[in-house]
Amino acid sequence: MSKLTYAILLAAIYAPSVYATEKEVVRPKVYTDIVACRPITDAAARLQCFDTATQALEIATANKQVVMLDQGEVRKTKKSLFGFALPNIPFFGESAEDQANEFKEIEGALANVQTLPYSMYQFTAANAGTWQTTEGTSAFLKNGKKFKIKRAALGSYILVLDNKGIRVKRVS
C-alpha cells in the first residue's frame, strides 16, 4: 500500500472522533451545579440548591473565574478581532465554520492615514485596528475616504477603494 493510501485510511478512521470531540462542550462547574438543581422534586430542597449554586456563580463572576457575555458583546469582540490570525475560539459558542463565515468584510472611513516608503500606507479603521498596505499603490488614501476590507485567499485581506483592490494586513 502506498503512503497516500495509508494517509487517507488514517484520516477516515480518525475523522469521526475529531468531529465528535469538537461538538462536546465542557461547561464550568458553577453552571452544571445550577442545572443539577432542576430535577430536585422537593421545593424546599430545590430552592436551597438554587440558592447555593447561584451564590457560587456570583462569587465566581466577582472573582473573574467565570465571565458572562451577551451576544452583542461577542459580536463586537469578533468585529474588533477582524484581520488577526487567531485560532478557533470555543467561547464564542459556534462551530469553526460559523466563526470563519461570521465577518467576511468590514466597512468604514479611513482615519490616521500615514504614508510609508515605497508607495505604501498605514491607516486606522474604526473599531477594527491599524492596517498597512502590503504592496505599493498609485491610489491616494486620505482621511475620511470610504473603504471595505474583505477576506481574500490564503488568509490575506483586500482593501477596496473606488472599486480597486489593494492587499493589506492588520498590524494592531
Side-chain angles (χ1 to χ4, degrees):
M1 241 183 216
S2 71
K3 290 182 181 180
L4 179 60
T5 306
Y6 279 123
I8 293 171
L9 184 60
L10 286 173
I13 291 170
Y14 289 108
S17 63
V18 170
Y19 289 115
T21 56
E22 182 178 271
K23 292 181 181 179
E24 186 177 312
V25 177
V26 177
R27 304 280 185 202
K29 184 178 181 328
V30 291
Y31 173 82
T32 57
D33 288 350
I34 291 173
V35 173
C37 296
R38 292 184 69 202
I40 298 172
T41 55
D42 178 47
R46 186 172 58 247
L47 179 59
Q48 179 61 40
C49 180
F50 274 123
D51 285 346
T52 304
T54 55
Q55 183 179 18
L57 176 63
E58 186 176 21
I59 291 169
T61 304
N63 292 334
K64 309 260 190 229
Q65 295 170 332
V66 173
V67 177
M68 291 189 219
L69 301 171
D70 66 15
Q71 193 60 33
E73 290 173 3
V74 170
R75 288 186 56 77
K76 181 179 173 185
T77 301
K78 281 192 222 180
K79 185 175 182 183
S80 74
L81 295 173
F82 180 82
F84 283 125
L86 297 172
N88 291 323
I89 303 171
F91 64 78
F92 285 148
E94 300 168 335
S95 70
E97 183 179 330
D98 289 343
Q99 286 185 36
N101 292 330
E102 177 76 32
F103 286 102
K104 291 193 175 199
E105 67 180 47
I106 58 170
E107 296 182 21
L110 297 175
N112 303 322
V113 176
Q114 299 174 349
T115 305
L116 301 176
Y118 308 108
S119 300
M120 295 195 286
Y121 291 90
Q122 179 171 308
F123 61 93
T124 302
N127 298 324
T130 303
W131 297 75
Q132 284 182 354
T133 58
T134 60
E135 56 192 13
T137 179
S138 60
F140 181 69
L141 278 66
K142 63 180 182 177
N143 290 328
K145 193 166 193 173
K146 300 290 182 191
F147 73 89
K148 277 187 190 178
I149 298 177
K150 298 180 176 185
R151 288 184 191 262
L154 303 172
S156 63
Y157 295 87
I158 300 285
L159 169 69
V160 180
L161 291 168
D162 303 324
N163 294 322
K164 182 178 179 181
I166 306 163
R167 292 209 177 272
V168 292
K169 68 178 180 179
R170 183 153 179 192
V171 292
S172 71

